[in-house]
Amino acid sequence: MGKFGPNVKKMKAKRDVEGLIEALKVKDSADRRIFAIAEALGEIGEPAVEPLIEALKDKNSGVRSSAAEALCRISWKIKDKRAVEPLMEALKDKVSDVRSSAADALGVIKDARAVEPLMEALKDKVSDVRSSAATALREIGEPAVEPLIEDLKDKRSYVRRNAADALGKIGDRRAVERLIEALKDKDSYVRRNAAHALGDIGDKRAVEPLTEAVIFEATLNKYYYVQASEETALKKIKAKKS
């Protein structure tokens, strides 16, 4: 280790996985250096997978978070299924940064086994974790559709919001009827996300309900962003029909 901390470039050149993992544990490592270490491990790839899985259990939360980040980077190159279950377990970590990074990695790997724990992560008390889980479910796609449809009935508005958003990005027509119902949700952001989703899916069944929703929002004259989303959705659907 050099005078100014671990020499990340040198260890990366030597493919020194063990040294890089140890470097993550240096207490005074700056965020920039930790990012560089995670990036280096990600570029090394497959030989780093098992050591990083072990690092997900480290007592230092920064090490655990960086390990999940590095596994995410590796997964852009190779979908290593060995990491799926340890990352699913990391979704329960007491530190939100670890949970968020684990969700990100699972979204890149796209293994259907992660759907159920990611659905639980949609209910996380920390918004960054919920956002990462929603993105991961969008990436996994079709296996997540039915659970996400069920989440449109969840009592928590932020869960319904994320479910509607994810369903729109996936674009599966099975969600259309439930998204139409969500246009009447008491939460304005759920209504907005449902309109966005219906516009993205582009199913003509949504035209009449969206038209009625525009009239309702205009009568309320309160949530302009909801009405704008509904009008945009109508334009998108009509453009697809023509």
Side-chain angles (χ1 to χ4, degrees):
M1 189 173 299
K3 181 179 178 181
F4 301 103
N7 190 324
V8 177
K9 285 185 178 180
K10 193 172 182 179
M11 285 187 284
K12 177 183 171 183
K14 290 183 175 180
R15 300 176 68 80
D16 182 4
V17 173
E18 185 178 343
L20 287 164
I21 298 270
E22 285 303 310
L24 284 175
K25 302 176 185 179
V26 176
K27 285 186 178 180
D28 61 350
S29 282
D31 288 345
R32 185 171 58 183
R33 184 178 294 128
I34 290 171
F35 179 83
I37 294 167
E39 186 176 44
L41 287 162
E43 288 186 22
I44 289 170
E46 194 277 334
V49 171
E50 288 290 353
L52 285 168
I53 287 172
E54 283 302 306
L56 285 173
K57 297 181 279 187
D58 195 272
K59 63 182 180 181
N60 184 319
S61 63
V63 173
R64 300 196 302 275
S65 182
S66 296
E69 171 66 23
L71 285 166
C72 183
R73 289 175 175 276
I74 289 171
S75 298
W76 285 111
K77 298 191 292 185
I78 53 167
K79 310 297 186 204
D80 199 308
K81 303 295 186 180
R82 288 174 294 173
V84 173
E85 291 189 9
L87 286 166
M88 286 162 52
E89 192 63 29
L91 289 173
K92 303 173 190 173
D93 197 282
K94 62 183 180 181
V95 176
S96 63
D97 282 350
V98 179
R99 301 196 300 274
S100 183
S101 295
D104 289 338
L106 287 166
V108 176
I109 297 172
K110 302 181 184 180
D111 190 296
R113 287 175 291 170
V115 168
E116 187 175 340
L118 284 167
M119 293 299 299
E120 283 302 308
L122 273 186
K123 302 171 177 68
D124 198 281
K125 61 184 179 181
V126 178
S127 61
D128 283 350
V129 179
R130 298 197 300 267
S131 178
S132 292
T135 300
L137 288 162
R138 292 199 299 263
E139 290 299 321
I140 291 171
E142 191 276 334
V145 170
E146 291 294 346
L148 284 167
I149 289 172
E150 286 303 306
D151 261 9
L152 287 174
K153 299 186 292 184
D154 194 275
K155 64 183 180 181
R156 287 154 290 202
S157 60
Y158 59 78
V159 174
R160 302 195 302 276
R161 292 174 196 173
N162 283 324
D165 181 61
L167 285 165
K169 297 299 189 298
I170 293 170
D172 194 300
R173 292 176 186 270
R174 284 176 292 171
V176 169
E177 289 186 11
R178 198 64 65 79
L179 285 166
I180 287 171
E181 291 175 18
L183 291 173
K184 299 177 182 177
D185 196 280
K186 62 184 179 181
D187 182 272
S188 63
Y189 292 102
V190 175
R191 300 199 300 274
R192 180 197 64 181
N193 287 6
H196 274 309
L198 289 165
D200 288 339
I201 294 170
D203 192 297
K204 65 182 180 181
R205 287 175 291 171
V207 170
E208 186 175 340
L210 279 166
T211 303
E212 292 173 357
V214 168
I215 295 168
F216 172 75
E217 296 295 344
T219 303
L220 278 183
N221 195 28
K222 189 175 181 181
Y223 304 108
Y224 67 91
Y225 51 89
V226 180
Q227 184 179 339
S229 296
E230 292 162 350
E231 290 170 346
T232 300
L234 278 168
K235 287 177 184 176
K236 288 175 76 172
I237 295 170
K238 289 175 180 177
K240 286 183 181 181
K241 286 170 66 181
S242 60

